[in-house]
Amino acid sequence: MNDDAPTIESPLHAEHVALGATLVPFAGWSMPLRYSSDLAEHQAVRSAAGLFDLSHMGELHLDGPGAGAALDHALVGNLTALAVGRARYTMIVAEDGGIIDDLIVYRLGDESYLVVANASNVAVVAQELAARSDGFDAVLTDRSLDTALIAVQGPAAAEIVVGLTDPAAADAVRELKYYASTSATVGGVAALVARTGYTGEDGFELFVPAAEAPGLWRTILAAGQPHGLVPAGLAARDSLRLEAGMPLYGNELDRTTAPHDAGLGRVVKLDKPGPFVGREALASRAHATPSRVLVGLVGSGRRAARHGYPVVTSTADDAPVIGSVTSGAPSPTLGVPVAMAYVSPEVSAPDTELAVDIRGRREPVRVVALPFYRRSH
């Protein structure tokens, strides 16, 4: 994006400035890249807890008797089958099956849904949902700028968040299942508490009114400090999600990619009642051999591949290009370079030896199953 473009300040902007964060433009927002060091923030999330500002994400509410049917028509998932209080990872695609955005949908009531979109795609997702809801008895409301999203991620997250929760709701938050949500008062602030995240760790995401966010942020920081919680920025968030093998829109997912290409065909519910946008294109892809496959790559050297680097069949100078890296970085947890890449299906099997062209030098890599990291606690 253009670094000179106007940016939106998070409701927590003053908190980030006070903490000395390095702020960068991101998807139209000014957001913290880091507060101390990328490595320290990454390791704190793996060993204790990290506090993230995710207020740049979009919150789109769809309410009304026809809200579920409208989402079934608009998205690839079966949202009318989602129980109240549960959440689901899904996607909105174009007629040709290309991914417009990946989403998390929360069912807040019988006729009430919350759709969380990536910051860079909020406008287009809102526009598509509005158009695709036409004719259904449902009302779409964009509350992105009125809502702050604060995430507490890491093995100590539950102890920290439950400890701040009103006693009447503490058991409900403690026992909350993964991909579920409940209403609770946390740190004196009424919140929608979701047990979701993007780091590979246990954790919570707290949707709160924007005006209430700074006070809650400071409360969580103070309560979490004895547990090892630190504020964590976008850099740590990206390395954590890479280790967890989670796709990032703009890297692993885009308009040229169908869910099946990314190994996410399971989110496409072709057997749900009624037609939906993109169904015909996705049905034709369901049993076809993909032209490319998303894989994990582990390097043996010290140099890390980055987005766009070519994947080749070997370290030989004349080895042909058979893919492209979508995300890559040194893995703080594993101590080796890791990457995700799209490659030809015939070289996608685990343990296949390949190479990545890193600025003219071909470094050996090995294909592995995703994710690179899976928590054991």
Side-chain angles (χ1 to χ4, degrees), residues 44-299:
V45 176
R46 289 278 180 254
S47 63
L51 182 63
F52 296 86
D53 177 11
L54 309 181
S55 299
H56 56 297
M57 303 291 283
E59 288 84 15
L60 306 169
H61 290 255
L62 199 65
D63 300 287
L71 289 175
D72 282 351
H73 169 68
L75 310 180
V76 302
N78 186 359
L79 286 313
T80 52
L82 188 63
V84 173
R86 298 307 302 264
R88 182 164 295 167
Y89 178 78
T90 187
M91 294 180 177
I92 183 168
V93 303
E95 287 284 4
D96 66 359
I99 300 168
I100 294 174
D101 200 13
D102 61 334
L103 311 164
I104 296 180
V105 176
Y106 299 84
R107 189 164 190 175
L108 305 181
D110 288 337
E111 300 178 356
S112 180
Y113 293 81
L114 166 61
V115 179
V116 178
N118 285 296
S120 59
N121 293 327
V122 174
V124 69
V125 172
Q127 184 179 26
E128 289 290 339
L129 284 181
R132 297 179 190 190
S133 300
D134 189 32
F136 294 89
D137 189 2
V139 176
L140 179 70
T141 310
D142 184 350
R143 301 180 191 167
S144 301
L145 297 181
D146 301 326
T147 305
L149 179 54
I150 296 173
V152 185
Q153 296 281 302
E159 189 171 0
I160 294 167
V161 173
V162 172
L164 291 171
T165 301
D166 182 272
D171 286 345
V173 171
R174 181 185 298 107
E175 295 165 8
L176 201 60
K177 295 182 183 300
Y178 191 50
Y179 267 68
S181 68
T182 188
S183 295
T185 299
V186 180
V189 176
L192 175 68
V193 181
R195 202 159 203 163
T196 48
Y198 197 52
T199 63
E201 297 296 336
D202 185 19
F204 297 85
E205 294 184 334
L206 310 175
F207 297 85
V208 299
E212 306 274 4
L216 179 59
W217 175 270
R218 292 191 292 270
T219 298
I220 296 173
L221 267 184
Q225 192 172 21
H227 299 275
L229 175 141
V230 301
L234 292 172
R237 180 171 159 83
D238 192 54
S239 56
L240 290 158
R241 72 94 194 162
L242 174 59
E243 286 186 343
M246 295 182 178
L248 174 66
Y249 197 87
N251 287 36
E252 285 73 38
L253 310 177
D254 59 24
R255 289 285 189 119
T256 70
T257 305
H260 301 85
D261 298 332
L264 294 169
R266 64 183 182 280
V267 308
V268 180
K269 303 302 181 187
L270 294 172
D271 58 348
K272 66 178 174 179
F276 62 91
V277 178
R279 189 189 188 289
E280 289 186 14
L282 295 176
S284 70
R285 303 286 298 268
H287 303 292
T289 300
S291 61
R292 54 183 184 153
V293 177
L294 185 66
V295 299
L297 300 175
V298 172

Side-chain angles (χ1 to χ4, degrees), residues 10-23 30-32 35 52-53 217 231:
S10 160
L12 295 165
H13 182 79
E15 306 303 317
H16 303 322
V17 172
L19 289 166
T22 300
L23 295 164
S30 175
M31 299 299 294
Y35 301 84
F52 296 86
D53 177 11
W217 175 270

Side-chain angles (χ1 to χ4, degrees), residues 312-321 362:
V312 293
T313 54
S314 74
T315 56
D317 290 341
D318 59 351
V321 175
R362 299 195 162 189

Side-chain angles (χ1 to χ4, degrees), residues 58 157 214 225 299 352 356:
Q225 192 172 21
T352 302
V356 175

